Amino acid sequence: MSWGSELWDQFDNLEKHTQWGIEFVEKYTKFVKERSEIETSYAKQIRNLSKKYQPKKNSREEEESKYTFCRAFLTSLNELNDYAGQHEVIAENLTSQIISELSRYLQELKAERKSHFHDGRKAQQHIESSWKQLESCKRRFERDCKEADRAQQYFEKMDADINVTKADVEKARQQAQMRHQMAADSKGDYSSYLQKFNQEQNDHYYTIIPNIFQKLQDMEEKRIERIGLCMKTFADVDRQVLPIVGKCLDEMTKAAESIEPKTDSKQVVESYKSGFEPPGDVEFEDYGQPMKRTASDTSLSSPREGKEKPAGKTKGKLWPFIKNKNKGSGPEDFSHLPPEQRRKKLQGKIDELNKDIQKEMDQRDALTKMKDVYVKNPQMGDPTSVDPRLLEIGQNIEKLQFEVQKFEGWLAEVEERMPSKSDTHRRSGIYETQNNTTVSNNCAQDRESPDGSYTEEQNSETQVKANTHPIPTSSTPEFDDEFDDEETLPTIGTCKALYPFEGHNEGTISVAEGELLYVIEEDKGDGWTRVRRNEDEEGYVPTSYVEVFLETNAKDS
């Protein structure tokens, strides 16, 4: 159906309808623009969320990266960042493929509509002007006819009157003839213009207006088609990113499926395993049996059975528990760590040093080849210019090798001291002696405490575990305990052991759960409290293992 034939008289309604069509395009453009802004904002929020939960560059986050679930979460965050990128692509495509195109099309549509309605108004004005001219001719013809009739009646009246002169009658007759001639001319003009108007009117309503309305109809159909294409593009823009979004989601799923609880549990063991053996059975102490004591049994100078005096002074053996002012890094040999963790740290340090040595050796090989080329072709360079660098690399390699030997010595020492699973004689009164003669010269003898107060001898370090029941002895009253050079400290309170603690290191003391002890030195901030069991047995225990009750007035043991 054609607008020109069906809506020939609906010019105003068509003008309103086409204006509404343009406003609809503007509304749809605004809708797509707001959708694009939402996608951009959503992508920004997703990116910020991913960035917010990205691991920070610190030791704790590095520790977390060992676990499969942490790595899976990091993968999900990275994929989420890519997912946000796809929403940015949607926003960009909506802007370029719909918003920009519709903005240009709107300008063209408005200009075309304005042109068509300008032609329609011009044609309407022309036909209205022709109609006015036709009406004018018609009125003039009507007026001339009336004037002719009046002139004819006047002539007949004059001709019938006998009193009128012949000259007046002739004059009236001539006037009537002139009026009739004028009426005839007006009739001809009116007839001619009527025929012309009818032709123009026929052209207007069957040719000009239909053509204009057909152009408006074509314009409107193109507009509707364009809106349809934009709506299809609106969906296609989303559909185009679905494969990549799907890949992001697939990677998230794959990351989630890569989580291995057993592996993470094993990693916890690797991270926190101390290497210490669990405490053995606590032996029964029969306080009901009378004990024979010598005069020296109550003094700190009487040695306990099972305590063998190590070579040299052992006061320095307390050095792992001395406050380390540089708590961040700890000693170079990682002696502040439990045996297993210390072994892992030392092994990692050795591997790192070996990599550095390999890099230096590769660089030395490259410089040696360069020097050979310079020797064979002096014009390419001076061979002696390479010597300073080779000397420096050689010195670096020697230093690194020395460091490796030092750490390997400490590693060998740790591996020899770590308790084996077959060790079933703890707290049984059997003496255990560890001989460190296999440690290289650059290991223990170079190790010092954080405050420089301890130097351990290379060989013959003896570690002895004593029986629970001390046997009175009358040996020479030479004090060979860890505190031989220190004055007897007064008690400042009591404490109750919350957990059992097996003191393996020098300077510690073994305690059983629920045991009551005297406090002789409170925690100085390093996590250790110095306690005394009886007059000849004292040492350090972890502060978190005991509940301390300090007294106002210190009492002697």
Side-chain angles (χ1 to χ4, degrees):
M1 302 181 79
S2 173
W3 286 9
S5 59
E6 305 292 336
L7 304 176
W8 62 270
D9 58 346
Q10 299 298 316
F11 185 90
D12 293 339
N13 286 332
L14 286 181
E15 187 175 21
K16 293 177 181 178
H17 178 77
T18 52
Q19 177 62 31
W20 173 81
I22 289 177
E23 292 173 354
F24 181 86
V25 175
E26 292 175 340
K27 181 173 72 173
Y28 184 76
T29 304
K30 184 179 179 181
F31 160 74
V32 177
K33 184 177 181 180
E34 290 184 5
R35 163 72 191 281
S36 176
E37 292 172 352
I38 290 174
E39 293 292 341
T40 302
S41 176
Y42 178 68
K44 182 179 180 180
Q45 293 180 30
I46 291 293
R47 283 195 185 277
N48 290 340
L49 180 66
S50 175
K51 183 179 179 181
K52 178 180 178 181
Y53 284 91
Q54 286 284 344
K56 305 297 186 295
K57 300 299 181 182
N58 55 46
S59 57
R60 177 60 183 166
E61 299 294 347
E62 291 175 1
E63 288 293 325
E64 290 181 356
S65 65
K66 298 178 182 177
Y67 301 102
T68 58
F69 64 90
C70 292
R71 294 198 296 268
F73 182 54
L74 178 59
T75 301
S76 298
L77 289 177
N78 294 333
E79 293 300 331
L80 190 64
N81 195 54
D82 295 340
Y83 174 82
Q86 298 312 306
H87 284 275
E88 290 176 346
V89 171
I90 291 176
E92 292 173 0
N93 290 341
L94 288 176
T95 302
S96 61
Q97 299 180 23
I98 297 181
I99 299 174
S100 299
E101 292 296 324
L102 283 184
S103 297
R104 288 194 296 269
Y105 177 67
L106 269 172
Q107 301 301 322
E108 297 173 0
L109 187 63
K110 290 178 180 179
E112 183 179 0
R113 175 182 175 278
K114 182 178 180 181
S115 174
H116 293 328
F117 279 102
H118 176 72
D119 293 342
R121 289 191 180 90
K122 187 177 179 181
Q124 193 70 25
Q125 289 173 0
H126 178 73
I127 196 67
E128 288 176 358
S129 175
S130 297
W131 172 257
K132 288 179 181 179
Q133 290 183 4
L134 176 63
E135 287 293 320
S136 176
C137 290
K138 180 180 177 182
R139 286 193 298 272
R140 186 171 61 251
F141 172 58
E142 181 182 7
R143 185 177 65 251
D144 289 345
C145 287
K146 289 180 179 179
E147 290 291 335
D149 288 342
R150 284 197 295 269
Q152 182 66 30
Q153 291 176 3
Y154 181 73
F155 166 69
E156 291 177 355
K157 181 180 178 182
M158 293 290 289
D159 188 42
D161 190 355
I162 59 175
N163 298 321
V164 177
T165 61
K166 202 172 185 178
D168 291 336
V169 172
E170 182 62 24
K171 183 178 179 182
R173 184 183 66 78
Q174 290 179 354
Q175 185 68 25
Q177 288 179 350
M178 183 185 69
R179 292 295 180 183
H180 280 292
Q181 184 62 39
M182 289 176 63
D185 293 340
S186 296
K187 180 180 180 180
D189 292 341
Y190 171 62
S191 175
S192 175
Y193 204 85
L194 178 62
Q195 184 178 1
K196 178 183 177 184
F197 173 78
N198 286 335
Q199 183 62 39
E200 289 180 351
Q201 182 176 253
N202 185 72
D203 292 342
H204 177 80
Y205 288 110
Y206 290 94
T207 303
I208 298 175
I209 290 298
N211 287 340
I212 294 174
F213 283 9
Q214 185 62 44
K215 290 178 182 179
L216 288 173
Q217 184 178 356
D218 293 342
M219 179 194 75
E220 185 69 6
E221 290 175 356
K222 288 179 181 179
R223 178 191 67 79
I224 296 171
E225 181 182 7
R226 191 66 168 266
I227 287 292
L229 290 175
C230 289
M231 291 182 178
K232 183 174 181 295
T233 304
F234 185 84
D236 289 341
V237 165
D238 259 354
R239 187 175 290 109
Q240 288 170 2
V241 303
L242 287 181
I244 301 179
V245 170
K247 289 182 179 179
C248 293
L249 298 178
D250 291 342
E251 289 298 323
M252 291 182 188
T253 303
K254 185 177 178 182
E257 293 173 349
S258 69
I259 296 176
E260 299 177 358
K262 296 293 184 184
T263 303
D264 288 345
S265 296
K266 184 179 178 181
Q267 185 59 49
V268 174
V269 175
E270 294 294 326
S271 297
Y272 300 110
K273 181 179 178 182
S274 66
F276 293 130
E277 287 292 318
D281 295 337
V282 178
E283 294 186 2
F284 177 74
E285 298 184 14
D286 191 356
Y287 290 101
Q289 296 293 330
M291 293 191 300
K292 296 178 181 180
R293 297 179 178 271
T294 62
S296 62
D297 190 35
T298 59
S299 66
L300 289 176
S301 61
S302 59
R304 298 168 52 202
E305 181 185 357
K307 288 282 185 177
E308 292 183 11
K309 183 176 181 179
K313 296 291 183 179
T314 58
K315 176 184 177 182
K317 296 296 181 69
L318 292 176
W319 69 267
F321 311 107
I322 296 175
K323 296 181 183 65
N324 182 10
K325 295 182 179 179
N326 187 13
K327 294 182 180 180
S329 59
E332 183 184 10
D333 61 352
F334 305 108
S335 57
H336 63 295
L337 297 175
E340 179 65 24
Q341 298 301 317
R342 183 184 178 195
R343 182 189 65 78
K344 289 172 62 178
K345 287 286 187 180
L346 290 172
Q347 186 62 55
K349 187 68 174 179
I350 291 172
D351 294 340
E352 182 182 342
L353 290 171
N354 285 331
K355 289 181 181 179
D356 293 340
I357 290 175
Q358 187 60 44
K359 289 180 182 178
E360 294 288 341
M361 293 178 68
D362 292 342
Q363 192 172 0
R364 182 180 63 182
D365 293 342
L367 288 174
T368 303
K369 291 180 181 179
M370 183 186 297
K371 183 177 180 180
D372 293 340
V373 173
Y374 287 170
V375 170
K376 295 178 181 179
N377 302 285
Q379 68 275 11
M380 296 184 67
D382 184 9
T384 59
S385 62
V386 186
D387 292 338
R389 181 58 181 158
L390 285 174
L391 180 60
E392 181 183 354
I393 292 176
Q395 293 174 351
N396 291 341
I397 292 176
E398 289 180 2
K399 291 179 182 178
L400 291 172
Q401 288 175 342
F402 177 77
E403 289 290 319
V404 169
Q405 291 175 3
K406 182 167 63 174
F407 280 97
E408 284 177 346
W410 286 332
L411 180 62
E413 175 190 355
V414 172
E415 290 176 345
E416 288 184 5
R417 288 188 178 186
M418 287 180 63
S420 63
K421 293 183 180 179
S422 61
D423 182 8
T424 59
H425 304 291
R426 291 177 301 111
R427 299 176 63 87
S428 64
I430 299 178
Y431 300 148
E432 300 176 7
T433 304
Q434 295 180 343
N435 188 1
N436 294 330
T437 56
T438 59
V439 180
S440 60
N441 293 335
N442 60 340
C443 62
Q445 64 185 4
D446 293 327
R447 188 180 63 197
E448 293 185 355
S449 65
D451 60 353
S453 63
Y454 170 65
T455 302
E456 184 181 57
E457 294 187 7
Q458 175 184 352
N459 301 326
S460 69
E461 180 178 350
T462 306
Q463 183 179 12
V464 180
K465 295 183 179 179
N467 197 338
T468 306
H469 299 287
I471 300 177
T473 179
S474 59
S475 61
T476 305
E478 180 182 358
F479 179 58
D480 61 345
D481 206 275
E482 295 87 355
F483 316 100
D484 55 351
D485 290 343
E486 296 182 6
E487 296 180 2
T488 302
L489 298 174
T491 60
I492 60 174
T494 59
C495 67
K496 179 182 178 181
L498 302 175
Y499 313 100
F501 174 69
E502 183 73 21
H504 287 292
N505 292 331
E506 292 287 349
T508 60
I509 184 173
S510 301
V511 296
E513 183 177 356
E515 185 177 359
L516 293 175
L517 302 164
Y518 292 109
V519 178
I520 58 177
E521 183 179 333
E522 62 178 324
D523 188 355
K524 301 299 184 181
D526 56 357
W528 295 89
T529 300
R530 191 170 176 179
V531 300
R532 177 185 294 138
R533 176 177 285 111
N534 47 48
E535 292 182 352
D536 63 344
E537 190 173 4
E538 62 183 50
Y540 285 89
V541 294
T543 304
S544 58
Y545 277 50
V546 295
E547 183 177 6
V548 179
F549 306 93
L550 296 179
E551 298 177 355
T552 305
N553 299 322
K555 61 180 180 178
D556 286 333
S557 173

